Amino acid sequence: MAPVKRYAVGAGAVLAALVLLAGGVAWFGGGYDRWRSARLVTDACDGVLPADEVRAVLGDRRLKAGKDTSEGSLDDTTTSLRVTCGIARGADPHDGAHPGEATMTVTVNGVPTLDREDRRYESLYPPVRSTLPPAPLGQGWSGVFAMGHHSSGEAEATTSVLLDCSPGRGDLLVTVAVEGKKYLDDSPLDNPERRTAFARVATATAANASRRWNCDADLGEPPATVPLPVNEDEYVAPADAEGACSGVTARGKTVDRVWESGSGAAPIEECVLGDAKGTASRLTALYGPYAEGARHDAAEHTGKPHPSESGQRSGLDEGGYWTSAECPGGGGPALFGLTGGHDDETQETGADRAYALSVLKAFAERSAAAHGCAAPAAPTATTAP
């Protein structure tokens, strides 16, 4: 019987070795990378990042955690919630799906900002950089998807989601910005699967944040597709506008085409006016945190409060015109502005001012009505003191 026993023991040892070898191959062949990246993602941003969605954008390899900060809460009456984190991916020529460098920055902000005095020298909320109007996220979300390019050649995609929390708790703003070189350039964002993957990071983070901080907001559906932001060749005649530029009139050859945000609930809407030479001026509607941030930035850049703080309706010191409207929900007044249209070397005429005020009025009235806000005050051409 001894030989049989020795044979059985030997066979068992070989089998165990094969199992360990197979496990080692899986571990060093990708299992460790997946485990490590999952731990890195789930530990970031107070645990609200969705691991699967983040890895769909950045992959599993060469991930590194960036600066991670957390302060305040939705229950704090003095310090607003602000959580930030970053995840970077190094270049990997052996990863066919995610070859280039990329950085993802995620921010969760409580809205409005309670400790503004402590943040005097910084913006209250992350910017949404967009060369032309961003696209409403839709599918039950109040948010936008925007694209931009840096002078260095890097591309950036930003998704913002604004959550309307239960009464008495403030709101939540989730912003996800992804910057990349080869990864974005080799697989442009006109790929709907790529845009959807980016947006799902923001919407899933928003859903997790709503539960984490007891926001109890109504949530949308996981995006099935995300509209492509407006491109340079996607202009229409003003009379044919159906989105943010609806109601805006042309002005001879000076303004004979517009680029517009699509229809849909979004905290930022834009209508860009121009001609065959390019864009000339921009109409912008800002709601909630973005209106709050604009008033804050005006005070920081000019040393004076935004005219809306004193109830004025006038042009800003840096040029342009604006008006405001009261909106439901206690999120503060919305701001509507027009910037550009002429440079320092061109004297603005009375006809220029009349046209600017008329298109701003039409733009603001349409946007305010779509958001359930009161009718905006008529803008004026008076210069702010």
Side-chain angles (χ1 to χ4, degrees), residues 129-132 146-150 153-158 178 184 189 229:
R129 298 184 180 91
S130 178
T131 307
L132 285 170
M147 291 172 13
H149 290 82
H150 300 288
E154 292 187 353
E156 179 177 11
T158 302
V178 181
L184 294 181
L189 291 173

Side-chain angles (χ1 to χ4, degrees), residues 197-229:
F198 286 1
R200 283 195 169 205
V201 175
T203 56
T205 299
N208 292 340
S210 180
R211 290 185 286 269
R212 168 70 175 79
W213 288 289
N214 299 316
C215 167
D216 196 27
D218 291 332
L219 305 176
E221 298 293 328
T225 185
V226 175
L228 183 69

Side-chain angles (χ1 to χ4, degrees), residues 194-269:
R194 180 63 45 77
R195 295 196 304 276
T196 303
F198 286 1
R200 283 195 169 205
V201 175
T203 56
T205 299
N208 292 340
S210 180
R211 290 185 286 269
R212 168 70 175 79
W213 288 289
N214 299 316
C215 167
D216 196 27
D218 291 332
L219 305 176
E221 298 293 328
T225 185
V226 175
L228 183 69
V230 175
N231 286 323
E232 291 184 7
D233 60 352
E234 292 182 318
Y235 57 83
V236 297
D240 297 329
E242 297 179 347
C245 295
S246 179
V248 170
T249 57
R251 189 186 183 197
K253 294 183 179 180
T254 306
V255 177
D256 60 6
R257 59 186 65 184
V258 296
W259 294 258
E260 61 180 347
S261 299
S263 58
I268 301 175
E269 295 179 355

Side-chain angles (χ1 to χ4, degrees), residues 161-176:
V161 177
L162 179 61
L163 296 181
D164 182 11
C165 299
S166 58
R169 302 195 58 79
D171 294 331
L172 280 176
L173 177 67
V174 174
T175 309
V176 176

